[in-house]
Amino acid sequence: MNRQFHALPVRSLARTYSLGTIKPAYNIGSDDSAVHLLADFCQHRPPALDSDMSVSEARLWMKMADTAYKLVENSMGECIGLITIAAINGELPLSLASRRGVEPGDIRVKDVMSKLSSLPAIHYRDLCKATVGDLVSTFRTVHEEYVLVVDDDRSRPGEEYLRGIVSAGQLVEKLRIPIDLEHRATSFSEIVSVVQGHV
């Protein structure tokens, strides 16, 4: 069957147009489900960087993608770590290059990434039962910018896979309040009080 395709009509814009109005963002509160803050890899699998990629090339890719983090895969396609723009732009790459007596361009992503085994992880079922306030308390407990989320692999009983990630940065953005990860707070009201300078 020879189906014919037709080009869409194209026209020149004679004037400047305004952008479409963005739908109001979902207002998240402390009692809402924490699952709203999950970057779910089942719905959108983020592109990963190769562990042998140079830090300078990774910096370029992350800048173009306008992202704070990327997953890292080895040559076998296995997810082995997480790399952040802060780590790439920080002092670690230059420090490693100096210690090893090499050029900064010789430092690889695997040299400055956070190994998955070093990051805190929670189970998807626990995330689904948790509130945003619980999630804030979790970040305060682990003192990390990212928490991994694992889930049961139905095709391989007894095995788990990386379901997604929760970012403290996104939590701050959604709540529209700063969160000091160094301060331990047990209730959301205490957290709000702390960041607003009431404690």
Side-chain angles (χ1 to χ4, degrees):
M1 177 178 170
N2 290 334
R3 181 181 172 188
Q4 293 218 339
F5 297 95
H6 303 281
L8 297 175
V10 177
R11 56 182 180 169
S12 298
L13 297 183
R15 62 184 177 84
T16 302
Y17 283 75
S18 60
L19 294 175
T21 303
I22 299 174
K23 293 180 180 179
Y26 180 82
N27 292 323
I28 292 180
S30 61
D31 294 324
D32 287 314
S33 173
V35 79
H36 289 303
L37 295 166
L38 172 68
D40 195 337
F41 300 157
C42 288
Q43 295 180 8
H44 177 69
R45 188 179 188 277
L49 298 180
D50 189 292
S51 60
D52 286 320
M53 178 183 287
S54 70
V55 167
S56 55
E57 187 178 354
R59 183 183 297 113
L60 180 62
W61 277 103
M62 293 183 75
K63 186 175 181 180
M64 287 191 302
D66 191 24
T67 182
Y69 73 90
K70 275 191 179 291
L71 298 176
V72 180
E73 291 182 346
N74 60 17
S75 58
M76 298 174 63
E78 300 168 327
C79 186
I80 60 172
L82 180 81
I83 186 77
T84 66
I85 194 68
I88 286 179
N89 289 334
E91 296 180 3
L92 184 55
L94 291 177
S95 176
L96 281 176
S98 177
R99 273 188 280 156
R100 295 178 181 180
V102 298
E103 294 296 320
D106 293 328
I107 301 301
R108 304 288 151 189
V109 166
K110 62 186 176 186
D111 298 321
V112 296
M113 73 177 188
S114 296
K115 293 181 180 179
L116 289 190
S117 59
S118 70
L119 295 171
I122 57 178
H123 200 282
Y124 179 68
R125 64 171 168 266
D126 294 325
L127 182 73
C128 290
K129 292 184 289 187
T131 64
V132 171
D134 295 330
L135 199 54
V136 172
S137 293
T138 302
F139 275 111
R140 291 197 180 281
T141 300
V142 300
H143 302 293
E144 293 285 351
E145 290 289 329
Y146 298 95
V147 171
L148 305 176
V149 179
V150 298
D151 200 0
D152 297 327
D153 191 335
R154 294 178 182 175
S155 63
R156 294 183 296 174
E159 295 289 319
E160 294 179 337
Y161 69 98
L162 185 59
R163 173 73 185 255
I165 193 169
V166 181
S167 162
Q170 187 182 25
L171 181 58
V172 168
E173 185 180 318
K174 294 286 186 182
L175 293 174
R176 299 187 183 281
I177 58 170
I179 296 176
D180 176 9
L181 294 177
E182 295 304 316
H183 179 83
R184 293 178 180 273
T186 55
S187 69
F188 192 77
S189 60
E190 181 186 353
I191 292 167
V192 173
S193 295
V194 169
V195 298
Q196 291 180 346
H198 300 314
V199 172

